Amino acid sequence: MGEQPVRVLVCGDVQGQFNALFSRVQTIQKKTGQFDLLLCVGEFFGSTPEAEAEWQQFKTGAKKAPVHTYVLGAASPDTETWFEKADGCELAENITYLGRRGVFTGVSGLQIAYVSGREAQRDPAPAHCFTREDLSALVTPLTGGSRFRGVDVLLTSQWPRGVWRFGNNPVSAPSQNHVVLQENAQHVSRFIALATVNNPAKKKYLYAFNIVPMKTLDPSELVRQPQDVTENPYRRTDGADNRKTSFGAPAGQFFFDLGGRRGGGKRPDQDGRRPDRRRDGQLPPKQPRRHPQPTGPCWFCLASPQVEKHLVVSIGSNCYLAVAKGGLTPLHVLILPIGHYQSVVELGSEVVQEMDKYKSALKNFYKSKGQRCVVFERNYRSQHLQLQVVPVPLDRCSTEDIKEAFMVQAEEQQMELMEIPEHSDLKQIAPPGTPYFYVELDSGEKLFHRIRKHFPLQFGREVLASEALLNVPSRADWKECKQSREEEEQSCKQLRDDFQPFDFTWDD
C-alpha cells in the first residue's frame, strides 16, 4: 500500500478531567510511541471549580497537551460559554475547538467530518444543539461531487439512531455500506462508542487506531471486508433506504447519511430535502397521522372509563402524573402519556419534552425531602407506557449503590444490563417494538437490557425493595401492598398538595 497510516486516539466525555486524560495519553505514548492526534467527543469541559482550575493550567501554558487535540463543542447548556466562536478556534496550545460543524482535513489528507452538540428538539435551537440545516450544510457539499467516496472519520456526541442494529456489541461494530450480491462492494463503516474519562465502572474511554486516508488507498484495499462485518443498519436487504430521510428527519431522529445516493437513494434538492412525490403532486396528499389507539380496554389512557382518576396527581398537555398503585413508598409515582403509547421510544417530541419536565420537577421535589430519584420502564407484557419514578432517601444509599444493586441482581438472573452513554437517546438503542427494561439514575447514568425471552415482571421493584436499598422486600410485588380506595384518595391528596410548589402545570 505504501502510505504511512495516521495514528489516532479518540476519547469520550472529558468533563474537565484534563490531568487524568493527558496523563493517561502520556503513559500510552511512552509504551507505544507518539500519536498524530487526539479527537475528543462529548463534553470536553466540566462545570466544577476543580475542572476550571485544571483548565487554567493549560490555558495559561503552565501545562501542555502531549498530542495535537481536537474537540467538539458544548453538548449541554452548562458548557456553552466555553465555545463563543461557532467556526472553531484554538483554546490552548495543542488544543483546538473544531467548530459547530464542518470537515477538517489534516496534513496527511485525513478527512474528519464533525457535528458538535446534541440534536435540537425545538426551534430556535439552543447554542449546544445542531439542526437539520446544520446536517444539510455539512453533507450536501460533500456528496455533491462525482468523485466523493466518503470521509475517513465522523465525530458526533450522540449515537446515530439505530446504529447498533445487527451488531453483537453496541459500542463497537463494523457494518457494510452495500447490499451483498446486489451492489458493487463499498468500504465498511466502524462505529465506536466511548465512556467518560475516569468513569467509576472503568468502561473504555480511550480508543487507539491506525488509519490510512481513503483517498490514498487502492480501491481493492478500500473495499476489503473484515470477518465480523454486519449488514448496514440503515439499509434493507432489497437495497432500499431504510431511513425516513437523511436531512429532514424529525427531532429526536438523528440520521446522518454520507452515501444517500447509493442503493436507490435519491439526491436531495438544493434546499436539503429529498424529492417528495406527494409535494410534487404525483401522489395524493398524505393523510394526517392518527393518534395511536388501544386494541382493547386500557387502564392508563386518561380518557378511558377504566382509568382510576382518584390516583391522578397532576395533568399536563401530553402527560399526567399518578400515584403508583401499591407503591414502594408513599411518594412512588408514575409518569404516563395521556394518549395511548406503549413505550418511550414511540413518543413524539412534544410528549418527551413534557415527560422530561415532570422528571425534572420530581427530582427537585424529592431533593427537598432529602431523597434521590430512580426512574425505570419495562416495555414487556405491558400495553400502556408507565414510567416508574421511585424516591430513595439520600442517607440510605448512594447512586453508585443503586447502580451496583441493579447490576448484581441482573447478573444473578443471567441478564445483560449494559450502561449506555449519558448523551444518547433511548430511541437510539431500542427501535419501536423492541422489548426492553431501562433504568435512569439521578446522576444521568442509564442502564439498558434488551429482553429476548423471559423477564421477571417485578425486577425493577425487587431491586429497589431489596435490603441494600429501600429494605422493604415485602413490597416488591404491588399486588401484595394494595390500599383501600379511601386510603389511596388520601395518599393522592397529600402528594398533590406537597408536589404543588414544584408542579409546572400550575404555571400555565
Side-chain angles (χ1 to χ4, degrees), residues 447-480:
L447 308 176
F448 174 85
H449 170 66
R450 187 187 297 271
I451 300 173
R452 302 192 184 277
K453 290 185 178 179
H454 303 294
F455 183 80
L457 298 183
Q458 304 298 335
F459 177 73
R461 290 181 63 111
E462 287 170 356
V463 175
L464 290 166
S466 66
E467 184 178 352
L469 302 182
L470 290 172
N471 193 22
V472 287
S474 62
R475 303 190 72 84
D477 188 340
W478 70 274
K479 295 177 183 177
E480 300 299 323

Short mmCIF file of all heavy atoms in Angstrom, two decimals, residues 447-480:
data_model
loop_
_atom_site.label_atom_id
_atom_site.label_comp_id
_atom_site.label_asym_id
_atom_site.label_seq_id
_atom_site.Cartn_x
_atom_site.Cartn_y
_atom_site.Cartn_z
N LEU A 447 -29.05 2.57 32.34
CA LEU A 447 -28.83 1.13 32.21
C LEU A 447 -29.92 0.54 31.34
O LEU A 447 -31.09 0.93 31.44
CB LEU A 447 -28.83 0.47 33.59
CG LEU A 447 -27.91 1.07 34.65
CD1 LEU A 447 -28.11 0.37 35.99
CD2 LEU A 447 -26.46 0.99 34.22
N PHE A 448 -29.55 -0.41 30.50
CA PHE A 448 -30.49 -0.93 29.49
C PHE A 448 -30.33 -2.44 29.35
O PHE A 448 -29.21 -2.96 29.33
CB PHE A 448 -30.23 -0.25 28.15
CG PHE A 448 -31.03 -0.80 27.00
CD1 PHE A 448 -32.31 -0.35 26.76
CD2 PHE A 448 -30.49 -1.76 26.16
CE1 PHE A 448 -33.05 -0.85 25.70
CE2 PHE A 448 -31.22 -2.27 25.10
CZ PHE A 448 -32.50 -1.81 24.88
N HIS A 449 -31.45 -3.14 29.26
CA HIS A 449 -31.46 -4.58 28.98
C HIS A 449 -32.46 -4.86 27.87
O HIS A 449 -33.64 -4.51 27.97
CB HIS A 449 -31.85 -5.38 30.22
CG HIS A 449 -32.10 -6.84 29.95
ND1 HIS A 449 -31.11 -7.70 29.54
CD2 HIS A 449 -33.25 -7.57 29.99
CE1 HIS A 449 -31.63 -8.92 29.36
NE2 HIS A 449 -32.92 -8.86 29.62
N ARG A 450 -31.98 -5.48 26.80
CA ARG A 450 -32.87 -5.87 25.71
C ARG A 450 -33.48 -7.23 26.05
O ARG A 450 -32.76 -8.22 26.21
CB ARG A 450 -32.09 -5.97 24.39
CG ARG A 450 -32.97 -6.20 23.17
CD ARG A 450 -32.10 -6.46 21.95
NE ARG A 450 -31.29 -5.31 21.64
CZ ARG A 450 -31.66 -4.30 20.84
NH1 ARG A 450 -32.86 -4.33 20.29
NH2 ARG A 450 -30.86 -3.29 20.60
N ILE A 451 -34.79 -7.27 26.21
CA ILE A 451 -35.48 -8.51 26.60
C ILE A 451 -35.64 -9.40 25.37
O ILE A 451 -36.24 -8.99 24.38
CB ILE A 451 -36.85 -8.19 27.23
CG1 ILE A 451 -36.67 -7.32 28.47
CG2 ILE A 451 -37.59 -9.48 27.59
CD1 ILE A 451 -37.96 -6.82 29.07
N ARG A 452 -35.10 -10.61 25.46
CA ARG A 452 -35.14 -11.52 24.32
C ARG A 452 -36.11 -12.68 24.54
O ARG A 452 -36.75 -13.15 23.62
CB ARG A 452 -33.73 -12.04 24.01
CG ARG A 452 -32.76 -10.89 23.71
CD ARG A 452 -31.46 -11.40 23.13
NE ARG A 452 -30.52 -10.30 22.94
CZ ARG A 452 -30.50 -9.49 21.90
NH1 ARG A 452 -31.39 -9.63 20.94
NH2 ARG A 452 -29.60 -8.53 21.80
N LYS A 453 -36.18 -13.20 25.76
CA LYS A 453 -37.10 -14.30 26.03
C LYS A 453 -37.98 -13.95 27.22
O LYS A 453 -38.96 -13.26 27.11
CB LYS A 453 -36.31 -15.59 26.27
CG LYS A 453 -35.65 -16.14 25.00
CD LYS A 453 -34.99 -17.48 25.26
CE LYS A 453 -34.37 -18.03 23.98
NZ LYS A 453 -33.70 -19.33 24.20
N HIS A 454 -37.58 -14.45 28.41
CA HIS A 454 -38.38 -14.21 29.60
C HIS A 454 -37.75 -13.10 30.44
O HIS A 454 -36.54 -12.88 30.41
CB HIS A 454 -38.49 -15.49 30.42
CG HIS A 454 -39.06 -16.64 29.64
ND1 HIS A 454 -40.35 -16.66 29.18
CD2 HIS A 454 -38.49 -17.81 29.23
CE1 HIS A 454 -40.58 -17.78 28.51
NE2 HIS A 454 -39.45 -18.49 28.52
N PHE A 455 -38.58 -12.42 31.21
CA PHE A 455 -38.10 -11.33 32.06
C PHE A 455 -38.98 -11.26 33.30
O PHE A 455 -40.20 -11.27 33.19
CB PHE A 455 -38.14 -10.00 31.30
CG PHE A 455 -37.59 -8.85 32.08
CD1 PHE A 455 -36.22 -8.64 32.18
CD2 PHE A 455 -38.44 -7.96 32.74
CE1 PHE A 455 -35.71 -7.58 32.91
CE2 PHE A 455 -37.94 -6.89 33.46
CZ PHE A 455 -36.57 -6.71 33.54
N PRO A 456 -38.37 -11.19 34.50
CA PRO A 456 -39.17 -11.08 35.73
C PRO A 456 -39.91 -9.74 35.77
O PRO A 456 -39.28 -8.68 35.79
CB PRO A 456 -38.13 -11.20 36.84
CG PRO A 456 -36.82 -10.84 36.21
CD PRO A 456 -36.91 -11.25 34.78
N LEU A 457 -41.22 -9.79 35.80
CA LEU A 457 -42.03 -8.58 35.68
C LEU A 457 -41.78 -7.57 36.79
O LEU A 457 -41.92 -6.37 36.60
CB LEU A 457 -43.52 -8.96 35.65
CG LEU A 457 -43.97 -9.84 34.47
CD1 LEU A 457 -45.46 -10.07 34.53
CD2 LEU A 457 -43.58 -9.21 33.14
N GLN A 458 -41.42 -8.05 37.99
CA GLN A 458 -41.22 -7.15 39.12
C GLN A 458 -39.74 -6.82 39.35
O GLN A 458 -39.37 -6.38 40.43
CB GLN A 458 -41.81 -7.77 40.40
CG GLN A 458 -43.28 -8.16 40.30
CD GLN A 458 -44.17 -6.96 40.04
OE1 GLN A 458 -43.83 -5.83 40.37
NE2 GLN A 458 -45.33 -7.20 39.45
N PHE A 459 -38.89 -7.01 38.34
CA PHE A 459 -37.45 -6.85 38.53
C PHE A 459 -37.08 -5.48 39.10
O PHE A 459 -36.32 -5.37 40.06
CB PHE A 459 -36.71 -7.09 37.20
CG PHE A 459 -35.22 -6.89 37.30
CD1 PHE A 459 -34.42 -7.81 37.96
CD2 PHE A 459 -34.62 -5.78 36.74
CE1 PHE A 459 -33.05 -7.62 38.06
CE2 PHE A 459 -33.25 -5.57 36.82
CZ PHE A 459 -32.46 -6.51 37.49
N GLY A 460 -37.60 -4.41 38.50
CA GLY A 460 -37.27 -3.07 38.98
C GLY A 460 -37.67 -2.86 40.43
O GLY A 460 -36.90 -2.31 41.22
N ARG A 461 -38.86 -3.30 40.79
CA ARG A 461 -39.33 -3.17 42.17
C ARG A 461 -38.51 -4.04 43.11
O ARG A 461 -38.20 -3.63 44.23
CB ARG A 461 -40.82 -3.54 42.25
CG ARG A 461 -41.75 -2.52 41.59
CD ARG A 461 -43.20 -2.95 41.75
NE ARG A 461 -43.60 -3.00 43.14
CZ ARG A 461 -44.47 -2.17 43.72
NH1 ARG A 461 -45.04 -1.22 43.01
NH2 ARG A 461 -44.79 -2.30 44.99
N GLU A 462 -38.18 -5.26 42.66
CA GLU A 462 -37.40 -6.17 43.52
C GLU A 462 -36.04 -5.58 43.88
O GLU A 462 -35.59 -5.69 45.02
CB GLU A 462 -37.23 -7.52 42.81
CG GLU A 462 -38.51 -8.34 42.75
CD GLU A 462 -38.38 -9.55 41.85
OE1 GLU A 462 -37.31 -9.72 41.21
OE2 GLU A 462 -39.34 -10.35 41.76
N VAL A 463 -35.39 -4.97 42.91
CA VAL A 463 -34.08 -4.36 43.18
C VAL A 463 -34.21 -3.22 44.18
O VAL A 463 -33.48 -3.15 45.17
CB VAL A 463 -33.43 -3.85 41.88
CG1 VAL A 463 -32.13 -3.11 42.19
CG2 VAL A 463 -33.14 -5.00 40.92
N LEU A 464 -35.16 -2.33 43.94
CA LEU A 464 -35.32 -1.17 44.82
C LEU A 464 -35.84 -1.57 46.21
O LEU A 464 -35.52 -0.91 47.20
CB LEU A 464 -36.26 -0.15 44.18
CG LEU A 464 -35.68 0.57 42.95
CD1 LEU A 464 -36.76 1.29 42.17
CD2 LEU A 464 -34.59 1.55 43.38
N ALA A 465 -36.62 -2.63 46.28
CA ALA A 465 -37.16 -3.08 47.57
C ALA A 465 -36.15 -3.88 48.38
O ALA A 465 -36.37 -4.15 49.56
CB ALA A 465 -38.41 -3.93 47.35
N SER A 466 -35.02 -4.24 47.76
CA SER A 466 -34.04 -5.11 48.41
C SER A 466 -33.43 -4.47 49.66
O SER A 466 -33.50 -3.26 49.87
CB SER A 466 -32.92 -5.48 47.43
OG SER A 466 -32.17 -4.33 47.09
N GLU A 467 -32.83 -5.32 50.47
CA GLU A 467 -32.23 -4.88 51.73
C GLU A 467 -31.17 -3.81 51.51
O GLU A 467 -31.01 -2.90 52.32
CB GLU A 467 -31.63 -6.08 52.46
CG GLU A 467 -31.08 -5.76 53.83
CD GLU A 467 -30.54 -6.99 54.54
OE1 GLU A 467 -30.74 -8.11 54.02
OE2 GLU A 467 -29.91 -6.83 55.60
N ALA A 468 -30.45 -3.90 50.39
CA ALA A 468 -29.37 -2.95 50.12
C ALA A 468 -29.88 -1.54 49.83
O ALA A 468 -29.16 -0.57 50.02
CB ALA A 468 -28.54 -3.44 48.93
N LEU A 469 -31.14 -1.42 49.40
CA LEU A 469 -31.67 -0.11 49.03
C LEU A 469 -32.80 0.32 49.99
O LEU A 469 -32.54 0.82 51.07
CB LEU A 469 -32.12 -0.12 47.57
CG LEU A 469 -31.02 -0.49 46.55
CD1 LEU A 469 -31.54 -0.44 45.12
CD2 LEU A 469 -29.81 0.40 46.71
N LEU A 470 -34.06 0.14 49.62
CA LEU A 470 -35.16 0.60 50.47
C LEU A 470 -35.44 -0.34 51.64
O LEU A 470 -36.10 0.05 52.62
CB LEU A 470 -36.43 0.76 49.63
CG LEU A 470 -36.44 1.93 48.63
CD1 LEU A 470 -37.67 1.85 47.73
CD2 LEU A 470 -36.39 3.27 49.36
N ASN A 471 -34.99 -1.58 51.53
CA ASN A 471 -35.18 -2.58 52.59
C ASN A 471 -36.66 -2.79 52.92
O ASN A 471 -37.08 -2.80 54.06
CB ASN A 471 -34.40 -2.20 53.87
CG ASN A 471 -34.32 -3.37 54.84
OD1 ASN A 471 -34.45 -4.52 54.45
ND2 ASN A 471 -34.10 -3.06 56.11
N VAL A 472 -37.47 -2.97 51.87
CA VAL A 472 -38.89 -3.28 52.03
C VAL A 472 -39.23 -4.46 51.12
O VAL A 472 -40.08 -4.34 50.22
CB VAL A 472 -39.79 -2.06 51.72
CG1 VAL A 472 -39.71 -1.03 52.83
CG2 VAL A 472 -39.42 -1.44 50.36
N PRO A 473 -38.58 -5.61 51.32
CA PRO A 473 -38.77 -6.74 50.40
C PRO A 473 -40.22 -7.19 50.28
O PRO A 473 -40.60 -7.74 49.24
CB PRO A 473 -37.89 -7.84 51.00
CG PRO A 473 -37.66 -7.43 52.42
CD PRO A 473 -37.66 -5.94 52.42
N SER A 474 -41.03 -6.96 51.29
CA SER A 474 -42.43 -7.39 51.24
C SER A 474 -43.24 -6.57 50.24
O SER A 474 -44.36 -6.94 49.89
CB SER A 474 -43.07 -7.28 52.63
OG SER A 474 -43.06 -5.94 53.07
N ARG A 475 -42.68 -5.43 49.79
CA ARG A 475 -43.42 -4.56 48.86
C ARG A 475 -42.95 -4.74 47.41
O ARG A 475 -43.29 -3.94 46.54
CB ARG A 475 -43.28 -3.10 49.27
CG ARG A 475 -43.76 -2.82 50.69
CD ARG A 475 -43.84 -1.32 50.97
NE ARG A 475 -44.94 -0.69 50.26
CZ ARG A 475 -46.20 -0.65 50.68
NH1 ARG A 475 -46.52 -1.24 51.83
NH2 ARG A 475 -47.14 -0.05 49.96
N ALA A 476 -42.17 -5.79 47.14
CA ALA A 476 -41.64 -5.99 45.79
C ALA A 476 -42.76 -6.19 44.77
O ALA A 476 -42.66 -5.76 43.62
CB ALA A 476 -40.68 -7.16 45.77
N ASP A 477 -43.84 -6.84 45.17
CA ASP A 477 -44.98 -7.07 44.28
C ASP A 477 -46.11 -6.12 44.68
O ASP A 477 -46.60 -6.15 45.82
CB ASP A 477 -45.46 -8.52 44.40
CG ASP A 477 -46.52 -8.88 43.36
OD1 ASP A 477 -47.16 -7.95 42.81
OD2 ASP A 477 -46.71 -10.07 43.11
N TRP A 478 -46.53 -5.26 43.76
CA TRP A 478 -47.53 -4.25 44.09
C TRP A 478 -48.86 -4.86 44.54
O TRP A 478 -49.60 -4.25 45.32
CB TRP A 478 -47.77 -3.33 42.89
CG TRP A 478 -48.48 -3.95 41.73
CD1 TRP A 478 -47.93 -4.65 40.70
CD2 TRP A 478 -49.89 -3.94 41.49
NE1 TRP A 478 -48.90 -5.08 39.83
CE2 TRP A 478 -50.12 -4.65 40.28
CE3 TRP A 478 -50.99 -3.40 42.15
CZ2 TRP A 478 -51.38 -4.83 39.74
CZ3 TRP A 478 -52.25 -3.57 41.62
CH2 TRP A 478 -52.45 -4.28 40.43
N LYS A 479 -49.14 -6.07 44.06
CA LYS A 479 -50.41 -6.70 44.44
C LYS A 479 -50.47 -7.07 45.92
O LYS A 479 -51.56 -7.28 46.47
CB LYS A 479 -50.62 -7.95 43.59
CG LYS A 479 -50.79 -7.67 42.10
CD LYS A 479 -50.93 -8.96 41.30
CE LYS A 479 -51.02 -8.67 39.81
NZ LYS A 479 -51.07 -9.91 39.01
N GLU A 480 -49.29 -7.17 46.55
CA GLU A 480 -49.23 -7.55 47.96
C GLU A 480 -49.33 -6.33 48.89
O GLU A 480 -49.28 -6.48 50.11
CB GLU A 480 -47.93 -8.30 48.25
CG GLU A 480 -47.75 -9.58 47.43
CD GLU A 480 -48.85 -10.58 47.71
OE1 GLU A 480 -49.28 -10.68 48.88
OE2 GLU A 480 -49.30 -11.27 46.75
#
